[in-house]
Amino acid sequence: MTSTPPKLAVLVKGWPRLSETFIAQELVALQDAGHRFDIWSLRHPTDVKRHPLHDRFEGRVHYLPEYLYQEPDRVRAARHLAQGLPGYAQAYRVWRADLRRDPTHNRIRRFGQACVLAAELPQATRAMYAHFMHTPSSVARYAAIMRGLPWSFSAHAKDIWTSPDWEKSEKLRASTHGAAFGATCTAVGAEHLRSLADDPRRVDLIYHGLDLTRFPPPPDRTPRAPNDPFHMLSVGRLVEKKGFDRLIDALAMLPGELNWHWTHIGGGTLGKALQERALAAGVAHRITWKGACDQPEVIAAMREANLFVLPSRIASDGDRDGLPNVLMEAASQRLPILSTPISAIPEFIETGRHGILSDDDPAALASAMIQMATDPGETAAMADAAYDRLIADFRMDPGIARLSQRLNALGAGPD
């Protein structure tokens, strides 16, 4: 790439992040479509491993002050520069109105980060695009007002369902300095956001889809030998909305004659508690906790497994999954899928046709696992149907084409 500053700035919570490879997939695809942009990250990376996609990004990565007190000189200088921008006074009024309704340290930090972003963005910047509708979009919105730039966002799951309606509504209305457009990756999310927008056309349904060039063809899945364990696999963060506590309880209900093993891939705050739960349930010896893994390791595990299990549920704070990319990744390897009818999962998996969507209580999950373990023919047929649906309707390319069109309209298209 040339040294000419890009016209587009992309704001993310953190870069790189293994748990957000769908963002990396999208940004690399936009780059391949000719868009040039730098990434502005609110947080420094914490993951030990990287996804191969992260290494394909060719732009610069800028890190905003994660906590304002850590870089006081930078924040002070940026605030001074930002105060000289034509939109600063309006941005300050918008922020103060937000702060009255959300009097938190996080809201204060957002404005400080926005000052740094507005002060340090190259003069060539013509538009901003933020991944996630909550914190990153707030920073983008304040900075965009300061600089007089259009901004846009991509909304996913937690940011939709745990943000207050007043904030989402204001980010979707031209009269309140809202986004030029918003993209979201589920039909249920799009319907909700359109109900809050001044113009429903402001919100696009853009499925992440899957870049199938990154995945090997599915393996030949020979029937499991009678004495081999029924190998179940889950990939996801160890957090409440993934439902792994209920899955462990379900595993404890499986009959003794079923030889099974469960492998979990992913990190998360509930790791210790879930391992203790498995020990208390008497199933710890049948479980492998692999921790965070890179993409080649995840795909290798999918190719060796007999069933993919993701028992998603709505967390106590309202957080929930959207349409997890791991379900499409499992389908790409013709790995049978057991999940739940939460949020947008039924938009990809029709129960009984492309996999099983079970209630998330342990007894129902256990019954579904037994059904899929003891009827390999029907289970394989559902996996074949999910693969065909992925190929037909959930490729990445159409969504990238639409997103590229939207960014071009903001003046941030390829040079």
Side-chain angles (χ1 to χ4, degrees), residues 1-25:
M1 287 194 175
T2 67
S3 59
T4 304
K7 293 184 290 187
L8 177 65
V10 174
L11 200 64
V12 299
K13 286 195 302 182
W15 182 275
R17 278 187 162 187
L18 279 176
S19 63
E20 296 175 0
T21 55
F22 60 92
I23 294 177
Q25 172 184 270

Side-chain angles (χ1 to χ4, degrees), residues 252-266:
M253 295 179 177
L254 295 177
E257 62 268 21
L258 179 62
N259 182 14
W260 62 270
H261 191 89
W262 178 53
T263 296
H264 176 270
I265 292 176

Side-chain angles (χ1 to χ4, degrees), residues 63-390:
Y63 291 96
L64 297 172
E66 188 165 347
Y67 295 98
L68 304 183
Y69 70 84
Q70 293 175 334
E71 299 183 64
D73 293 341
R74 184 184 179 194
V75 174
R76 190 179 302 110
R79 177 81 182 276
H80 178 72
L81 287 172
Q83 287 174 326
L85 295 172
Y88 178 84
Q90 181 61 42
Y92 183 79
R93 285 192 291 270
V94 169
W95 170 68
R96 290 292 296 183
D98 291 348
L99 185 63
R100 283 193 292 272
R101 293 169 290 187
D102 176 31
T104 62
H105 290 295
N106 186 39
R107 183 68 62 173
I108 295 170
R109 183 165 63 247
R110 295 180 200 182
F111 191 75
Q113 289 176 319
C115 288
V116 175
L117 179 61
E120 296 183 1
L121 279 175
Q123 288 300 313
T125 304
R126 293 292 174 267
M128 284 188 276
Y129 174 56
H131 259 286
F132 291 103
M133 194 179 184
H134 51 2
T135 305
S137 285
S138 292
V139 175
R141 182 185 178 213
Y142 301 145
I145 297 170
M146 294 180 202
R147 288 286 297 265
L149 297 173
W151 69 281
S152 55
F153 67 83
S154 182
H156 303 290
K158 180 178 182 179
D159 51 329
I160 297 176
W161 303 114
T162 64
S163 296
D165 281 354
W166 66 261
E167 184 166 11
K168 290 179 288 190
S169 178
E170 291 187 6
K171 288 175 177 175
L172 284 164
R173 294 175 182 271
S175 61
T176 50
H177 305 279
F181 75 87
T184 190
C185 53
T186 68
V188 65
E191 181 181 7
H192 174 68
L193 294 180
R194 285 168 180 160
S195 73
L196 298 172
D198 55 358
D199 183 349
R201 293 172 298 179
R202 195 182 294 275
V203 178
D204 272 347
L205 170 59
I206 299 179
Y207 287 113
H208 296 305
L210 211 61
D211 178 6
L212 293 171
T213 64
R214 297 193 292 107
F215 296 86
D220 293 329
R221 293 194 173 272
T222 56
R224 178 172 59 96
N227 295 327
D228 289 344
F230 183 63
H231 187 183
M232 294 175 282
L233 172 69
S234 297
V235 181
R237 289 180 298 131
L238 296 170
V239 294
E240 183 185 0
K241 71 177 179 179
K242 298 296 183 180
F244 294 128
D245 54 342
R246 296 180 182 178
L247 178 57
I248 289 171
D249 294 347
L251 294 173
M253 295 179 177
L254 295 177
E257 62 268 21
L258 179 62
N259 182 14
W260 62 270
H261 191 89
W262 178 53
T263 296
H264 176 270
I265 292 176
T269 55
L270 297 181
K272 182 178 180 182
L274 290 172
Q275 291 181 34
E276 291 174 351
R277 192 184 192 98
L279 188 63
V283 295
H285 63 293
R286 291 177 177 264
I287 296 174
T288 299
W289 304 93
K290 298 193 72 170
C293 293
D294 58 29
Q295 185 72 11
E297 292 171 313
V298 171
I299 295 304
M302 286 181 171
R303 293 171 71 83
E304 295 172 359
N306 303 114
L307 179 66
F308 188 83
V309 186
L310 187 67
S312 300
R313 63 188 176 99
I314 300 176
S316 55
D317 65 355
D319 190 13
R320 67 201 74 178
D321 277 328
L323 175 53
N325 265 32
V326 288
L327 294 178
M328 290 180 278
E329 293 173 3
S332 80
Q333 302 306 300
R334 281 201 170 95
L335 176 59
I337 294 169
L338 167 60
S339 191
T340 54
I342 292 297
S343 191
I345 293 174
E347 295 174 33
F348 178 54
I349 300 294
E350 179 184 337
T351 191
R353 183 177 179 186
H354 309 108
I356 297 293
L357 299 184
S358 164
D359 291 339
D360 66 354
D361 67 89
L365 288 168
S367 176
M369 285 186 279
I370 294 168
Q371 175 186 341
M372 299 184 85
T374 56
D375 191 350
E378 179 61 24
T379 299
M382 289 188 288
D384 289 343
Y387 177 79
D388 292 342
R389 177 152 172 72
L390 171 69

